[in-house]
Amino acid sequence: MIGRGLSNGKEMRLLIAGNWKMNGLAASLEEVRALLRGLEGRPAGVEVVVCPPATLVAKVAAEVQGKIGVGGQDCHPKPSGAYTGDVSAEMLRDAGASWTIVGHSERRQYHGETDDLVRSKAEAAWRAGLGVIICIGEIEAERLAGKEEAVVDRQLANSVPDGAATAKTAIAYEPVWAIGTGRTPTNDDIAKMHRHIRKVLVARFGKAGQGIEILYGGSVNPKNAKEILAQPEVGGALVGGASLKAADFLTIVAAAPA
Ligand code: PGA
């Protein structure tokens, strides 16, 4: 996992990111403080990132002081302008973020985000100096029809910009039917899909395709994290519900292979 010897110059630490979704008020900073206390003295083999709602990015960044990463959950393709309610990558960066998620299935589903839009958001993140976590993954009907690889291929081809070869990028494979449901693919299915994604990335980006982390997301919890993170080509996790409580998130971070 760590230091697979396949680095394209980027670090291949495991990346464990917590996606708070639309949860969190100023009082949640107590969880951030508990997280920092729990991470003291941890081995440097894991990069930990918290992605709070946009309203808390600056507060969380001030709290963590660079000890862990802070990310947005989405960004607009443009740096500024008449886009009421939107937040740009430059704004996230200005608030102290170093990452942002784009293309989460909840954005694709509830906001009609297309692969093309997700691709432009990823490019915006890089323009602002952020790393980007690009989410992909099939819905249940697609898996039942045996189309999961075809769906992922289409999303990879159209949501991941060419710049992924050189800019800070992680792909989060999140089967939509596993998000928030307590259901996960079997370990073999996770390993199979991650191998497939690696093959597609290498076919497109050559050696640089080896350096892109492939995260698993969807119902990762303190109980299943160890076996999921141990699967080949699983370079980390994108954690939703279980990232809201510091104790659970810390257990997941601790489950990463040393
Ligand atoms: P979950 O969410 O861990 O609550 O399933 C993961 C995600 O949506 O990123």
Side-chain angles (χ1 to χ4, degrees):
M1 317 290 303
I2 303 159
R4 288 182 197 107
L6 305 170
S7 174
N8 62 347
K10 292 191 279 185
E11 296 189 56
M12 286 296 283
R13 293 194 294 170
L14 251 72
L15 175 61
I16 302 198
N19 171 13
W20 286 13
K21 310 193 180 188
M22 199 173 74
N23 297 291
L25 300 169
S28 316
L29 292 175
E30 190 41 57
E31 292 301 321
V32 175
R33 288 190 276 271
L35 182 61
L36 290 178
R37 284 194 299 274
L39 288 171
E40 263 168 38
R42 90 202 127 105
V46 182
E47 177 171 6
V48 177
V49 178
V50 169
C51 302
T55 49
L56 288 181
V57 167
K59 283 194 166 86
V60 173
E63 194 68 47
V64 305
Q65 294 287 324
K67 291 183 194 117
I68 61 173
V70 181
Q73 299 175 7
D74 176 44
C75 66
H76 192 277
K78 298 255 174 67
S80 61
Y83 302 100
T84 303
D86 280 314
V87 173
S88 74
E90 280 76 3
M91 290 168 177
L92 292 171
R93 176 84 193 168
D94 185 53
S98 51
W99 287 92
T100 190
I101 299 167
V102 299
H104 190 281
S105 68
E106 287 149 17
R107 302 288 316 171
R108 293 176 186 262
Q109 186 181 350
Y110 304 133
H111 297 265
E113 294 198 2
T114 61
D115 284 331
D116 282 353
L117 180 62
V118 173
R119 193 176 65 241
S120 64
K121 289 181 172 200
E123 286 170 333
W126 296 329
R127 180 191 66 221
L130 301 176
V132 70
I133 299 172
I134 305 172
C135 302
I136 58 170
E138 81 284 356
I139 63 171
E140 184 158 34
E142 291 162 341
R143 177 157 287 258
L144 291 173
K147 292 187 178 146
E148 66 275 12
E149 289 188 358
V151 170
V152 159
D153 288 354
R154 190 197 68 228
Q155 292 174 331
L156 284 170
N158 298 322
S159 312
V160 179
D162 290 339
T166 49
K168 198 162 85 166
T169 309
I171 305 295
Y173 169 60
E174 300 204 300
V176 179
W177 50 273
I179 295 177
T181 60
R183 296 162 58 209
T184 55
T186 64
N187 291 332
D188 283 353
D189 282 344
I190 291 174
K192 183 162 177 267
M193 181 58 90
H194 279 242
R195 265 197 305 271
H196 176 73
I197 294 169
R198 177 67 67 209
K199 202 178 74 194
V200 172
L201 292 175
V202 170
R204 177 165 165 201
F205 297 113
K207 201 158 183 289
Q210 301 278 17
I212 298 171
E213 278 125 329
I214 309 170
L215 317 182
Y216 170 79
S219 294
V220 175
N221 62 43
K223 289 207 176 81
N224 62 20
K226 199 175 179 85
E227 47 185 333
I228 290 174
L229 291 170
Q231 296 306 311
E233 299 295 359
V234 172
L238 183 55
V239 184
S243 71
L244 294 172
K245 288 269 163 261
D248 288 347
F249 196 48
L250 282 165
T251 307
I252 292 169
V253 173

